[in-house]
Amino acid sequence: METFKKNRLKTIFKSPEKKVSIYFTAGYPALTDTLDLLSLLAESKVDFVEIGIPFSDSVMDGEVILESHKVALENGMTIEILFDQIQKIRAQVSIPVVLMGSMNPVYQYGFEKFCQRCHEAGVDGLLLPDLPLDEYEKYYRVWYQQNDLAPIFMISPQTNGDRMKRIDELGEGFLYALSGNSTTGSTSEIGDNSEYLQRLSNHKFINPVVLGFNIKTKDDILFANQFADGAIVGSAFVKTLKGGFNKERTKHFLEQLM
Amino acid sequence: MNYQIDENGFYGPYGGAYVPEVLYSNVENLSRNYQAILNDPDFKKELSRLLKVYVGRETPLYHSPSLSEVYNTKVYLKREDLCHSGSHKINNTLGQVLLAKRLGKTRIVAETGAGSHGVATAMACALLKLPCFIYMGEVDIQRQFPNVGRMRLLGATVIPALSGSKTLKDATNEAFRDWINNPLNTFYVLGSVVGPHPYPDMVARLQSVISQELLHQVPEITGKEKPDYVVACVGGGSNAAGSFYHFLNDPEVKLIAAEAAGKGLDSGFTAAATFRGKPGILHGSKTKFMQTNEGQVVEAHSISAGLDYPGIGPLHAWLSDTGRAKFVAVTDDEALDAGLALSQMEGIIPAIESAHALAALSQLNFKTDDVVVVCLSGRGDKDLETYIQYSNSKKTAHGNV
Ligand SMILES: Cc1ncc(COP(=O)(O)O)c(C=O)c1O
């Protein structure tokens, strides 16, 4: 299809290798760290990044990411600034970028304008965990399509087979499978959900499936890869940024991870 | 105009269910089953039995001689403060905890602001034998401490919410996070007509016992067929929804919703969502709440912990847009004055939340034969310290003049 000719996310998933993704929050620990983090991750072996749009009341997030949202907002991070930052660095980095966040800031920005700005800035996918599938289909899908933006949806242990099928039909790029029932950065172990993980790996998805939440170490990634096409590291990465972005420390964390 | 939810859980543009995938099946399952359970004869029988023998319903409709004199009209108080637990919140919690048991859930979580909903949930859980976890903002734990002690005594675990403004909004976030981490065994007993569909409608139905009783009490006690005004305070809006419910389609009954203006609508310290809010998505529904241009939620302020919430339920956003209910804003001091006045004139200490509804009367113009029903949603035992401090500070201020 014409639409995804240039979508970087879709392109990288054409290769069969397992993927690793890193999540970080825009504007954390400092407002302009978004740029340095993106460059560093683009130079590393990370396959794609997810950038969190900070929100005052993100219910999906646990302590570490909540704190990063709070600091980012104190730093003055906004959607407009984030788009400017991504657009600025896009000429130098080709790593796929997925934006992730709660619906309200996007809704206030204006959904259509948001999708257009994603396209201009070079954003490849959008994940809004509290966006209902019906509403996506009825109102928003057209704007994702017009702007080469891959709609990313989540799957959880609560998602039954029929719904997995529907999510797979609507989703593009990849499906974001939660490793378990939890907020981000919880203490639960990803191995606790073997029945669900098996179900995931048995289901014949059209899209690649990437496992996220509570993936902290190389071992976790290897474990996730037994069931999925890749893994996303969030809180564990954000934790390393606490107190200030230190390039060497972050590099070291990434080397340990891969 | 229609004031009931449509098939997708919306009141006009407001409502819906904006929940992450982990909660989707819970919310969906509840949507599919709540009406059938609430209407099941055995369920109804058990709930009305408990409302009678445990809560002490029906609550009196009491003619207030002094307020009637002050406003030169006929003021009646719907005495929800006489409910066991001390507020209307127990009408809802008994219903939801019974329903949770029907759904096979074995653990209850809830948020609380003033502690009224927390206490009412803890009581329902003690009675119906389910473990109970209550999230309460750290600020509210301090200002409503008597209720914290009550919840603990009732066997509930009270967990401080440490994020954000450390008040009701943040306690709600934490309760949602708990539910996300425990979706299989846990039922979230939401305390107001907020949250994802079907909560706003489910809570409104459970609280509608208030207006159900008014349907026969008003003719019996006032001699008029129906009230001219029904007045209630709005935090999330459950006592208001319950008081308005059976009158929603009768335009002759004027509905008045009292919102907390805090230190004043323009002070930057307010909780009046219809005045200072705009539509957005918070706590699982599309509704009106106070937010920045970037969509970040603005922290509310009210002296009353139960009204200290930046939003209102989607029904109320709709009642405000359509003009079906008139929203008035009441400041902290106006509410405290109204609460102290009722205490002194009639020996009833109202919750500071309910005192907002009393204070709203001064913004309305009544005819002498109007029947004005005010929902006295709760009693003020939990607020004694605030009342006493305020009363002392006024005395000192006067003494200095
Ligand atoms: C006595 C009392 N009235 C009113 C409220 C506000 O809630 P709602 O607007 O849902 O009735 C509270 C909340 O804690 C309360 O304790």
Side-chain angles (χ1 to χ4, degrees):
Chain A
M1 279 234 297
E2 198 59 15
T3 349
F4 280 101
K5 221 159 75 185
K6 287 172 297 184
N7 190 293
R8 301 164 197 87
L9 197 59
K10 193 101 175 203
T11 309
I12 62 156
F13 275 107
K14 281 184 183 145
S15 78
E17 290 84 30
K18 303 286 181 183
K19 304 296 183 293
V20 179
S21 172
I22 291 287
Y23 166 96
F24 66 92
T25 302
Y28 177 83
L31 186 64
T32 54
D33 285 340
T34 322
L35 294 163
D36 296 331
L37 279 167
L38 255 181
S39 314
L40 178 71
L41 291 167
E43 288 161 18
S44 73
K45 287 190 215 141
V46 170
D47 296 288
F48 67 100
V49 297
E50 276 172 89
I51 306 180
I53 301 169
F55 180 50
S56 54
D57 293 83
S58 178
V59 292
M60 275 307 285
D61 286 308
E63 212 175 310
V64 171
I65 293 181
L66 280 179
E67 172 68 15
S68 73
H69 282 214
K70 183 167 168 247
V71 171
L73 291 174
E74 285 163 4
N75 290 340
M77 185 39 98
T78 63
I79 287 176
E80 202 57 71
I81 294 174
L82 175 59
F83 279 136
D84 288 345
Q85 289 179 340
I86 298 172
Q87 195 159 4
K88 195 160 139 197
I89 202 166
R90 227 350 156 193
Q92 297 137 50
V93 302
S94 61
I95 190 165
V97 171
V98 173
L99 294 188
M100 174 174 182
S102 300
M103 249 193 101
N104 195 53
V106 176
Y107 182 76
Q108 298 307 326
Y109 188 86
F111 218 108
E112 183 176 14
K113 188 172 122 200
F114 185 91
C115 294
Q116 286 164 354
R117 286 291 286 134
C118 279
H119 184 64
E120 286 163 18
V123 172
D124 305 284
L126 177 60
L127 168 55
L128 303 171
D130 55 351
L131 168 64
L133 292 180
D134 289 343
E135 228 166 269
Y136 164 74
E137 254 192 301
K138 244 199 290 192
Y139 307 119
Y140 304 132
R141 175 155 66 179
V142 37
W143 296 324
Y144 282 73
Q145 288 177 341
Q146 283 167 3
N147 294 291
D148 282 4
L149 193 57
I152 316 291
F153 295 110
M154 284 181 160
I155 287 175
S156 88
Q158 311 307 305
T159 312
N160 67 26
D162 286 348
R163 195 167 159 84
M164 277 190 184
K165 193 159 171 279
R166 173 150 189 246
I167 291 172
D168 193 23
E169 279 160 12
L170 291 176
E172 292 168 45
F174 68 95
L175 303 177
Y176 193 127
L178 298 189
S179 63
N181 294 318
S182 82
T183 42
T184 56
S186 92
T187 49
S188 59
E189 293 294 328
I190 57 167
D192 295 347
N193 291 289
S194 48
E195 178 273 332
Y196 156 69
L197 294 175
Q198 204 53 57
R199 198 154 59 86
L200 271 184
S201 99
N202 292 345
H203 189 103
K204 300 260 178 297
F205 288 102
I206 310 162
N207 287 291
V209 175
V210 181
L211 213 60
F213 282 36
N214 306 327
I215 294 175
K216 313 174 193 77
T217 61
K218 184 173 186 163
D219 282 348
D220 290 345
I221 292 176
L222 293 175
F223 181 78
N225 286 344
Q226 295 172 33
F227 308 94
D229 304 296
I232 301 166
V233 180
S235 296
F237 180 77
V238 173
K239 221 183 222 170
T240 69
L241 303 173
K242 197 175 161 94
F245 170 49
N246 173 317
K247 199 168 171 178
E248 289 316 309
R249 194 172 58 196
T250 303
K251 260 184 164 163
H252 181 71
F253 176 84
L254 292 172
E255 277 158 17
Q256 299 276 303
L257 204 59
M258 283 176 284
Chain B
M1 197 63 75
N2 181 15
Y3 304 107
Q4 297 291 336
I5 46 158
D6 66 20
E7 68 278 11
N8 297 315
F10 281 86
Y11 302 94
Y14 301 112
Y18 298 82
V19 293
E21 185 62 23
V22 212
L23 294 181
Y24 176 83
S25 68
N26 267 327
V27 167
E28 171 67 14
N29 188 34
L30 190 58
S31 284
R32 247 184 290 114
N33 292 303
Y34 80 107
Q35 295 198 17
I37 296 177
L38 295 185
N39 292 323
D40 173 68
D42 288 342
F43 182 91
K44 278 169 93 162
K45 205 167 129 196
E46 179 61 0
L47 180 58
S48 51
R49 185 184 75 84
L50 289 176
L51 288 176
K52 182 161 190 270
V53 300
Y54 188 74
V55 177
R57 299 205 76 90
E58 62 184 40
T59 59
L61 182 65
Y62 158 80
H63 176 253
S64 165
S66 51
L67 292 176
S68 298
E69 195 185 319
V70 170
Y71 295 108
N72 193 25
T73 189
K74 296 182 191 154
V75 178
Y76 294 84
L77 303 179
K78 179 60 174 159
R79 298 290 307 275
E80 293 299 300
D81 61 315
L82 294 178
C83 287
H84 176 51
S85 87
S87 81
H88 69 293
K89 297 284 183 185
I90 193 136
N91 303 329
N92 171 40
T93 60
L94 279 175
Q96 282 198 49
V97 176
L98 279 175
L99 196 143
K101 290 194 91 157
R102 287 276 181 122
L103 293 172
K105 301 292 181 176
T106 55
R107 176 178 178 272
I108 298 294
V109 293
E111 84 296 341
T112 196
S116 306
H117 177 60
V119 166
T121 306
M123 284 174 172
C125 286
L127 179 70
L128 300 168
K129 311 227 171 328
L130 285 181
C132 177
F133 298 83
I134 306 287
Y135 289 88
M136 187 170 188
E138 207 181 30
V139 169
D140 292 338
I141 287 184
Q142 281 162 25
R143 63 176 160 174
Q144 307 275 235
F145 203 72
N147 272 344
V148 179
R150 288 169 86 197
M151 287 184 269
R152 292 194 171 132
L153 206 68
L154 293 161
T157 305
V158 180
I159 308 166
L162 304 171
S163 57
S165 53
K166 303 181 176 62
T167 59
L168 180 53
K169 158 179 90 75
D170 312 285
T172 309
N173 287 335
E174 290 301 333
F176 268 109
R177 288 181 193 120
D178 183 308
W179 200 22
I180 286 169
N181 282 283
N182 302 284
L184 289 177
N185 64 349
T186 298
F187 188 91
Y188 180 10
V189 175
L190 252 164
S192 194
V193 286
V194 301
H197 171 67
Y199 280 97
D201 183 53
M202 180 171 71
V203 176
R205 283 170 190 250
L206 289 168
Q207 290 293 0
S208 71
V209 64
I210 301 173
S211 61
Q212 177 80 53
E213 291 172 1
L214 290 174
L215 286 179
H216 72 86
Q217 285 179 318
V218 169
E220 281 164 22
I221 293 164
T222 74
K224 269 199 172 181
E225 196 193 328
K226 53 190 166 193
D228 296 286
Y229 290 85
V230 178
V231 186
C233 69
V234 175
S238 68
N239 85 90
S243 306
F244 296 169
Y245 198 84
H246 289 87
F247 304 113
L248 284 169
N249 290 320
D250 185 346
E252 287 177 13
V253 180
K254 298 179 199 66
L255 307 177
I256 310 295
E259 280 204 90
K263 296 185 177 175
L265 282 179
D266 297 318
S267 64
F269 295 91
T270 183
T274 59
F275 293 88
R276 291 293 171 264
K278 57 179 175 180
I281 293 138
L282 179 65
H283 294 148
S285 70
K286 193 177 279 177
T287 189
K288 277 191 184 168
F289 57 93
M290 303 191 301
Q291 51 184 311
T292 64
N293 289 335
E294 282 82 34
Q296 306 298 338
V297 185
V298 168
E299 291 177 5
H301 169 88
S302 168
I303 185 93
S304 143
L307 307 184
D308 198 352
Y309 182 72
I312 44 169
L315 167 66
H316 293 290
W318 184 230
L319 294 179
S320 164
D321 276 13
T322 56
R324 177 62 190 99
K326 179 180 160 75
F327 283 72
V328 300
V330 170
T331 64
D332 290 349
D333 286 0
E334 288 166 347
L336 289 168
D337 287 336
L340 289 174
L342 187 70
S343 309
Q344 283 154 17
M345 292 187 305
E346 266 168 40
I348 298 172
I349 305 173
I352 298 176
E353 290 77 14
S354 323
H356 284 71
L358 296 169
L361 297 179
S362 69
Q363 300 186 32
L364 304 166
N365 292 312
F366 304 112
K367 296 203 274 301
T368 49
D369 66 340
D370 277 343
V371 167
V372 180
V373 173
V374 182
C375 180
L376 204 72
S377 57
R379 54 178 176 251
D381 305 31
K382 66 187 179 56
D383 299 313
L384 284 188
E385 210 178 300
T386 311
Y387 276 132
I388 292 166
Q389 268 176 18
Y390 179 73
S391 168
N392 288 343
S393 74
K394 279 187 74 165
K395 276 179 206 146
T396 329
H398 285 296
N400 289 342
V401 172

